Each structure stands twice: as C-alpha cells, then as structure tokens.
C-alpha cells in the first residue's frame, strides 16, 4: 500500500488543486459547501467595464509626472508670448477699432511759421473697461506725402478713457512745417472731405496690464469745398467815393461746412469780369466760423477801366445781364495778419477763384438810395422816388426792389425813359460822372 504523503493531511491541503490536494470536506447533501465557495469574496475573472472617472484617475495616477512636466514647459513658452504678443495685439486692435470724431477745431493767430491751435475730439473704445493712457505727442500729417508729412505736433495729457471721452488741446502755440502745412491748407480749402491724419504712440493700462499702443488714424471731416455757395449781397457803389478811394461796399458769404474756426486776417481779393481786372475788394479781419456768415466787404471798382473796356465788359456779361445780374470772379491777392503777410494763406487764395452773381437791380437800387438819401439837399434824382404816377408802377426804387430780374423791364419804364430823354438831367448826370472820374 502506497504511503500517504504527510503534507496531504495538512489543513491547507484541502484548498490545493490537482492531485496534491487534501481530502474534501464531507458533503452534507445540501450543497452548502459549493455555495459557500461560489459566494466567497474572491477576485472575479469576469471582465468589468470601467467608468470614465475611473479611467481618468488611473491615467493620472500613471502619468501625473508627465503632465506636470509638460505643463511647466507649456507655461514657460506660452506666458511670454501671451504677455508680449497676444495682449499687446489685442490692445492695438481695440485702439484700431475705436471711434475718433473731431468735434471742434480752431486755428487762430496765423503767423508765417506758427498758429494757435485748439483741437477737440471724442474717442470711444469698443470695450466697457476703463483704459488709462499716459501723455502722448500726436503728429498731424499729410498721409499722401512721401517721407515725413508731419505739419505740426500736439501734446495730449494723460487720461482715463471710459465711454465717449474728450481728448484734445486748447490754445496751444504750434510751430509749423510750412511746406506740409501749406499742402494741408490746400486740401482743406479745395476738397469737400479732407481727412485729418494723425499718428502717435503711448502706454495704455488695462487694469494692471501695461501695453504700448499706436494711434494711427485718418479722421473724416467736412472741409471748405472751394467755398461752394460763395455769394455777394447788398452791393452798393458809393458816389462820390470815400477819402481812401472806396467806392464799393457789399456783404460776402463764405460758407464753412466744417467744424473749424479759421482766423485768416485782412484778405484782399481782385474783382474780375472775364479776364479783365475791374477792381478789388477787401475783407478786414476775416474769421471763418462754422456755418454761413456774412462778412462786410469794401473795395474799389475801377470805373475808368470799365468805361475804357466797356465793349469787352458787356460781351463777357451779356448772358448775365439778360438774367438781371453781373457775374464777378474774385481771386485772392494777399492775406495779412497783424501787419505781416501770411504766405501759406496768400498762396492758396491766389489759386482759388470764387464766382458770385451780383444782382444788378440790387446794385442800382442801393446805389441810388445812397445818392437820394445823401446830405446834399439839391438832389437831382429826387423825382425818381415819386410814386404818385400809377402808370409807371411806382417810383424807381420801389420797382427795383420788387425783383432783381426785372432790370430789362425797368430800363424801359417811363421814369427811366423820361430821365434819359431829359437833356438837362442827362447833362447834369454826365457832368457829375466826369467830375467823379
């Protein structure tokens, strides 16, 4: 009989597998031993699906060192880029997308090489966060000019921008780059919408973030458009002339659709009929304010030149006379401020021709009114104001006052016809004109 191994009788042998296991415990017939083994707390070999959280925890537990290492490397690379490139680019984009509108400008005390400049503008940023800017120098320039097109610089104080904010300078004595300023004045006078170009750099603070930004904009604005709508009203010849030779007065309107106030100075204009210079007009202390404003004009109408070239004048004015007005061209001759010529204004005005339609009826009416209400009691035109003759339609001044386009009809009226056919009155008038000339 084979000898039984000693280990088979041990307590643990009954849990061994195979031929070396010990004797099984007795079965009581109800299978409780098998059931006990099946329900024991053992490791199951059945595959179990892990949840996402379990997989993440397991992955982190295995690779946390790698994550920390690569995060550290990412921050080393990204943070310098973020603060030196991305944030400044965002700040610059905010400035580029901002709204800048010029609300008021005044150019006063024009000197050959300087002006007294006031400039107000409204800046609105496309964000609602307050932004503080440091003081900065703004170059005002001609964008189209090659090289340095700066004609002046203005210096703005630091300010916190929140919502629409006013920026600008007031009564700042501004030296000029005369050539570039002359180009800008030319564009303002001749163009309808000459932009105001500006360039400047400053430091902006968004909270504790510090950024260098550049203000580089072309601000659209209305400009003078060659004084479109220029007109001369209330013209009057002074007979006899004043002691200084002035024999023409009127009111001139130079429209200014811009927000600029321009102090020009004493402006002398040549009066031309076609290509013939027939006199001059002077505007004292011309100041162009926004809107339409009438300015008194006085000058000298050269009657000798007109009489000498009467045929030429009538030929150039033929179509205008048929419609009851004279067409006069005015061309700048000189601009003087405080006794000193302002070269940039003079040059621009010399290149500008402004045409005005002078109502002939108004000219005659005002001239005769000046004669009739003079200090001389023996007025040879006194009977021209007689309104008792209903057939003539009233006195001469009344007829002239009805319509400036009725001059041709008035020239055939009985009052004029009687005057022209009266030798005594005609002779007196000729004698007076000869004495005047």
């Amino acid at each position: 009989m084979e000898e039984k191994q000693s280990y088979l009788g041990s307590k643990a042998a009954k849990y061994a597998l195979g031929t070396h296991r010990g004797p099984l415990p007795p079965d009581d017939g109800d299978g409780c031993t098998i059931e006990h083994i099946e329900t024991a707390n053992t490791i199951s070999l059945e595959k179990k699906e892990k949840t996402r959280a379990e997989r993440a925890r397991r992955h982190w537990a295995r690779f946390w060192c790698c994550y920390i290492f690569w995060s550290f490397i990412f921050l080393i690379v990204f943070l310098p880029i973020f603060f030196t490139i991305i944030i400044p680019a965002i700040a610059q984009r905010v400035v580029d997308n901002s709204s800048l509108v010029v609300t008021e400008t005044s150019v006063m005390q024009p000197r050959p090489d300087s002006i007294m400049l006031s400039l107000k503008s409204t800046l609105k940023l496309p964000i609602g966060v307050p932004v503080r800017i440091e003081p900065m120098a703004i170059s005002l320039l001609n964008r189209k000019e090659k090289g340095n097109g700066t004609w002046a610089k203005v210096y703005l104080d630091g300010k916190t921008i929140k919502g629409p904010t006013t920026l600008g300078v007031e009564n700042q004595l501004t030296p000029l780059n005369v050539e570039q300023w002359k180009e800008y004045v030319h564009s303002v006078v001749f163009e309808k919408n000459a932009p105001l170009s500006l360039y400047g750099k400053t430091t902006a603070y968004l909270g504790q973030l510090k950024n260098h930004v550049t203000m580089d904009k072309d601000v659209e604005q209305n400009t003078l458009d060659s004084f479109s709508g220029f007109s001369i009203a209330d013209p009057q010849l002074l007979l006899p002339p004043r002691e200084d030779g002035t024999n023409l007065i009127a009111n001139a309107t130079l429209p200014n659709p811009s927000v600029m106030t321009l102090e020009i100075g004493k402006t002398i204009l040549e009066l031309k009929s076609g290509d013939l210079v027939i006199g001059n007009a002077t505007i004292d202390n011309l100041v162009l304010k926004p809107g339409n404003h009438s300015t008194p004009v006085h000058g000298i109408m050269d009657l000798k030149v007109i009489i000498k070239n009467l045929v030429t004048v009538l030929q150039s004015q033929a179509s205008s006379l048929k419609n009851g007005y004279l067409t006069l061209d005015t061309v700048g001759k000189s601009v003087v401020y405080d006794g000193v010529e302002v070269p940039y204004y003079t040059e621009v005005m010399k290149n500008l021709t402004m045409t005005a339609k002078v109502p002939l009826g108004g000219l005659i009416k005002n001239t005769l009114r000046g004669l009739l209400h003079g200090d001389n009691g023996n007025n040879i035109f006194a009977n021209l104001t007689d309104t008792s003759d209903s057939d003539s339609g009233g006195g001469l001044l009344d007829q002239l006052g009805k319509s400036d386009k009725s001059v041709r009809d008035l020239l055939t009226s009985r009052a004029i016809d009687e005057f022209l056919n009266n030798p005594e009155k005609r002779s007196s008038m000729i004698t007076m004109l000869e004495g005047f000339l």
Side-chain angles (χ1 to χ4, degrees):
M1 183 175 178
E2 186 178 359
E3 185 179 357
K4 184 177 180 180
Q5 301 296 328
S6 61
Y7 67 83
L8 294 176
S10 65
K11 185 178 180 179
K14 64 181 178 180
Y15 299 110
L17 298 177
T19 59
H20 301 291
R21 71 183 181 183
L24 295 173
D27 188 2
D28 57 1
D30 57 2
C32 60
T33 303
I34 298 175
E35 182 181 0
H36 174 74
I37 294 173
E38 289 177 352
T39 60
N41 186 19
T42 59
I43 299 175
S44 175
L45 298 178
E46 182 182 357
K47 187 176 180 180
K48 182 181 178 181
E49 186 70 22
K50 293 182 176 61
T51 64
R52 181 177 298 179
E54 290 174 339
R55 291 197 302 270
R57 285 195 298 269
R58 179 178 177 81
H59 187 78
W60 170 255
R62 295 179 63 189
F63 299 106
W64 65 271
C65 293
C66 296
Y67 277 112
I68 292 176
F69 173 77
W70 288 112
S71 296
F72 183 71
I73 297 298
F74 173 77
L75 291 176
I76 291 176
V77 175
F78 175 74
L79 289 179
I81 296 175
F82 181 76
F83 286 105
T84 61
I85 298 177
I86 297 178
I87 290 296
I90 294 174
Q92 185 62 53
R93 178 60 65 88
V94 169
V95 174
D96 293 341
N97 292 339
S98 63
S99 172
L100 184 65
V101 178
V102 176
T103 57
E104 184 179 341
T105 305
S106 69
V107 179
M108 312 298 285
Q109 301 179 22
R111 305 289 181 177
D113 57 357
S114 69
I115 55 175
M116 187 67 72
L117 179 63
S118 295
L119 177 64
K120 291 184 180 180
S121 61
T122 300
L123 177 65
K124 183 179 181 180
L125 299 178
I127 60 174
V129 181
V131 177
R132 181 171 62 88
I133 61 172
E134 291 184 348
M136 64 175 168
I138 294 289
S139 296
L140 306 176
L141 51 89
N142 296 315
R143 184 76 66 185
K144 298 179 181 179
E145 294 295 318
K146 296 181 179 179
N148 183 14
T150 301
W151 49 265
K153 286 188 176 183
V154 295
Y155 299 91
L156 303 181
D157 296 330
K159 205 158 191 178
T160 298
I161 301 173
K162 184 178 181 181
T165 304
T166 299
L167 299 176
V169 296
E170 187 172 358
N171 296 330
Q172 178 178 294
L173 181 61
T174 306
L176 297 172
N177 180 334
V178 177
E179 290 302 318
Q180 294 299 330
W181 170 243
K182 189 187 302 179
E183 291 296 324
Y184 181 68
V185 171
H186 185 277
S187 64
V188 167
V189 171
F190 285 90
E191 296 180 20
K192 187 175 182 178
N193 300 107
L196 176 64
S197 300
L198 50 88
Y199 178 89
K201 293 184 177 182
T202 188
T203 301
Y205 294 88
L206 182 59
Q208 297 300 320
L209 296 178
K210 176 181 177 181
N211 301 285
H212 299 288
V213 294
T214 300
M215 180 75 72
D216 190 5
K217 286 185 173 293
D218 293 327
V219 183
E220 292 297 326
Q221 58 180 351
N222 294 328
T223 44
L224 301 180
D225 192 23
S226 300
F227 295 105
S228 177
F230 168 73
S231 63
I232 295 177
D234 306 318
Q236 178 182 345
L237 285 174
L238 302 178
L239 301 174
R242 295 173 180 170
E243 293 182 359
D244 61 358
T246 298
N247 64 355
L248 175 66
I249 57 174
N251 290 313
T253 300
L254 288 84
N256 180 5
S258 73
V259 296
M260 295 183 290
T261 299
L262 299 172
E263 186 174 27
I264 306 298
K266 183 178 180 180
T267 305
I268 300 176
L269 306 170
E270 289 184 338
L271 300 178
K272 302 177 68 176
S273 176
D275 295 329
L276 180 66
V277 178
I278 59 174
N280 63 68
T282 300
I283 304 176
D284 294 321
N285 303 320
L286 175 61
V287 178
L288 297 175
K289 298 180 180 179
N292 295 337
H293 300 278
S294 295
T295 303
V297 177
H298 63 89
I300 298 175
M301 185 73 73
D302 197 333
L303 300 179
K304 291 182 179 180
V305 172
I306 294 176
I307 294 174
K308 183 178 180 181
N309 299 276
L310 187 58
V311 175
T312 302
V313 172
L314 292 176
Q315 288 176 345
S316 64
Q317 297 289 338
S319 59
S320 299
L321 290 172
K322 290 180 180 179
N323 293 296
Y325 60 83
L326 299 173
T327 299
L328 293 181
D329 294 331
T330 62
V331 181
K333 184 177 181 181
S334 68
V335 177
V336 176
Y337 179 80
D338 199 17
V340 179
E341 185 176 18
V342 184
Y344 42 83
Y345 285 159
T346 296
E347 185 169 333
V348 170
M349 293 299 288
K350 282 183 177 180
N351 295 321
L352 175 66
T353 299
M354 299 180 292
T355 301
K357 296 179 179 180
V358 180
L360 187 56
L363 175 62
I364 297 174
K365 178 181 66 175
N366 293 332
T367 301
L368 292 179
R369 179 179 285 115
L371 287 170
L372 294 170
H373 294 281
D375 295 333
N376 185 4
N378 297 322
N379 197 308
I380 62 173
F381 300 109
N383 67 324
L384 295 180
T385 60
D386 182 15
T387 59
S388 59
D389 193 343
S390 58
D391 294 335
S392 65
L396 176 61
L397 295 181
D398 293 333
Q399 294 184 56
L400 286 170
K402 292 178 182 178
S403 173
D404 290 332
K405 295 183 179 180
S406 303
V407 175
R408 286 182 298 171
D409 297 334
L410 292 171
L411 292 177
T412 60
S413 65
R414 196 168 77 178
I416 291 294
D417 184 65
E418 180 182 353
F419 170 75
L420 293 176
N421 292 308
N422 188 312
E424 182 179 353
K425 293 181 179 180
R426 186 173 65 247
S427 176
S428 300
M429 184 63 173
I430 293 173
T431 300
M432 185 190 71
L433 290 176
E434 288 179 347
F436 172 76
L437 296 176

